[in-house]
Amino acid sequence: MRLRPDLRWRRAAAGGLLLVLSLVGAMALGGHALNDQFERPGPLVGDSAVVVPRGGPGRLGDVLAEAGVIAVPLALRLGAWATAGKGPLRAGEFLFPAGVSLREVLAILRNGRPVQHRLTIPEGLTAAAIALLVESDETLAGSAVVPDEGMVLP
């Protein structure tokens, strides 16, 4: 049985309208879910300092998920992409408070102050003694190179 041309057009228009409304609804639900993930407190139980390496949002998301700061690395990637106009993500050692949300994580990675470690070297020490002080500090990584005595000036 063939439909009249005006009925065919109406069915096609109704089907197209239904498709458009379904897509808009799916986008709204997806946006709501992403915003919920963006604002929800994260899994971090206590304050934690994390060394964030250089790299893209994918690598940063993996490192932060491994440290327990965020739950889903993909959410960090999407959040960084959606807020890219707010600036680049930086590397460094950052202090993340307990329950930090994804929005706050991105703000810390963009504008937060890195953790600073201090080492006091008293006057009069030899280069070897200074190298020993540097080597024994737990917050520093790598090995200290001992310069020749008298080569380093104050």
Side-chain angles (χ1 to χ4, degrees), residues 96-140:
F96 295 96
V100 64
S101 71
L102 188 56
R103 179 184 302 279
E104 293 167 326
V105 167
L106 289 169
I108 289 170
L109 291 175
R110 287 189 172 111
N111 307 314
R113 297 190 68 179
V115 175
Q116 293 184 358
H117 300 280
R118 298 189 185 272
L119 174 65
T120 303
I121 300 173
E123 287 185 48
L125 292 182
T126 64
I130 293 171
L132 189 61
L133 267 178
V134 171
E135 288 282 341
S136 66
D137 193 324
E138 301 135 12
T139 60
L140 299 176

Side-chain angles (χ1 to χ4, degrees), residues 46-85:
D47 294 357
S48 179
V50 178
V51 177
V52 178
R54 293 185 192 275
R59 181 161 184 222
L60 272 57
D62 292 340
V63 168
L64 292 173
E66 190 175 301
V69 176
I70 62 173
V72 182
L74 178 62
L76 183 101
R77 256 185 255 165
L78 293 173
W81 176 78
T83 61

